[in-house]
Amino acid sequence: MSSDLFSHIWGPMNPDIIFYLPTPPELPAHWQATHPDAITQLVTLNGNHWRKIVTIMAKICCLEHDINASKGIYWKKIRDNLFNEPHDHLTDKHISTPSRLHCQLRIVKPNIDHRDEVAFSPESWHMLCGKEAQQRMGFTDLRQYTSLDEKQKIQQQQTVLLTPYLDYRQYANALIELTRQHIALSKV
């Protein structure tokens, strides 16, 4: 998929899951997504809105059986290192790291030319978050999609999920858990 479609891309080159959002956060000068304090810096500058976004992303990426065990310690560890590359060979044997999907975040530019069909790699899950991101990428016809939930808030076609925006008012915990379990059960 062409990088001309995105204003920002953060995360590993070969992610398990890619989140597509319409609006980038404000970034501190010299910000690096893989810095140990990157998420803290992002939330400090952008407030509660981006704290919710990265929290929902972390919860969806968590493959642990009970993500709320020990007051959410698993998803919190994932959130703090959300855009880091997988380094399984560097893992400290004394530190428990949660099982997770490695994610990438792409900010979709407005006014994209949709003459060419957008092609998604089947090796990753693709979550188009919110109507604006979906429309920017040309996804307006849902006839080829199946719903994961009764209210049809999450639509799927192969490894593409059309979801609500990453905000708890639209993407409640029950939908987060449904998404997380669906992806975990059908890991790419």
Side-chain angles (χ1 to χ4, degrees), residues 130-157:
K131 296 282 185 217
E132 189 173 347
Q134 294 163 19
Q135 289 171 350
R136 286 183 182 187
M137 295 189 71
F139 288 84
T140 55
D141 183 3
L142 302 182
R143 287 180 285 186
Q144 298 175 359
Y145 286 78
T146 56
S147 183
L148 294 186
D149 63 304
E150 292 176 6
K151 294 184 180 178
Q152 300 182 346
K153 291 188 173 199
I154 302 174
Q155 301 290 318
Q156 177 185 6
Q157 182 185 38

Side-chain angles (χ1 to χ4, degrees), residues 14-167:
N14 297 307
D16 300 306
I17 186 169
I18 303 170
F19 294 88
Y20 299 84
L21 290 172
T23 309
E26 289 184 44
L27 297 173
H30 310 292
W31 185 81
Q32 294 180 9
T34 57
H35 188 275
D37 278 345
I39 300 302
T40 301
Q41 292 172 9
L42 188 106
V43 170
T44 298
L45 187 59
N46 292 277
N48 201 37
H49 177 69
W50 273 89
R51 182 190 59 78
K52 291 176 187 176
I53 289 172
V54 296
T55 296
I56 292 171
M57 290 171 67
K59 286 180 176 182
I60 290 171
C61 290
C62 186
L63 296 176
E64 295 294 330
H65 175 68
D66 180 3
I67 66 167
N68 293 312
S70 303
K71 297 183 180 178
I73 193 152
Y74 296 129
W75 64 259
K76 287 176 183 176
K77 284 182 181 181
I78 292 169
R79 181 193 60 201
D80 294 343
N81 299 291
L82 196 59
F83 303 121
N84 290 4
E85 294 277 346
H87 293 295
D88 295 336
H89 64 285
L90 298 176
T91 301
D92 185 337
K93 293 178 182 160
H94 302 290
I95 298 174
S96 173
T97 57
S99 178
R100 65 172 289 187
L101 297 173
H102 291 278
C103 76
Q104 187 181 84
L105 173 61
R106 297 181 182 186
I107 305 298
V108 183
K109 290 180 183 177
N111 306 319
I112 296 171
D113 183 356
H114 299 292
R115 280 180 268 181
D116 297 324
E117 183 72 22
V118 176
F120 291 103
S121 161
E123 289 85 36
S124 300
W125 282 96
H126 302 271
M127 290 187 57
L128 283 70
C129 305
K131 296 282 185 217
E132 189 173 347
Q134 294 163 19
Q135 289 171 350
R136 286 183 182 187
M137 295 189 71
F139 288 84
T140 55
D141 183 3
L142 302 182
R143 287 180 285 186
Q144 298 175 359
Y145 286 78
T146 56
S147 183
L148 294 186
D149 63 304
E150 292 176 6
K151 294 184 180 178
Q152 300 182 346
K153 291 188 173 199
I154 302 174
Q155 301 290 318
Q156 177 185 6
Q157 182 185 38
Q158 299 172 351
T159 60
V160 176
L161 296 175
L162 306 179
T163 72
Y165 188 75
L166 301 182
D167 182 283

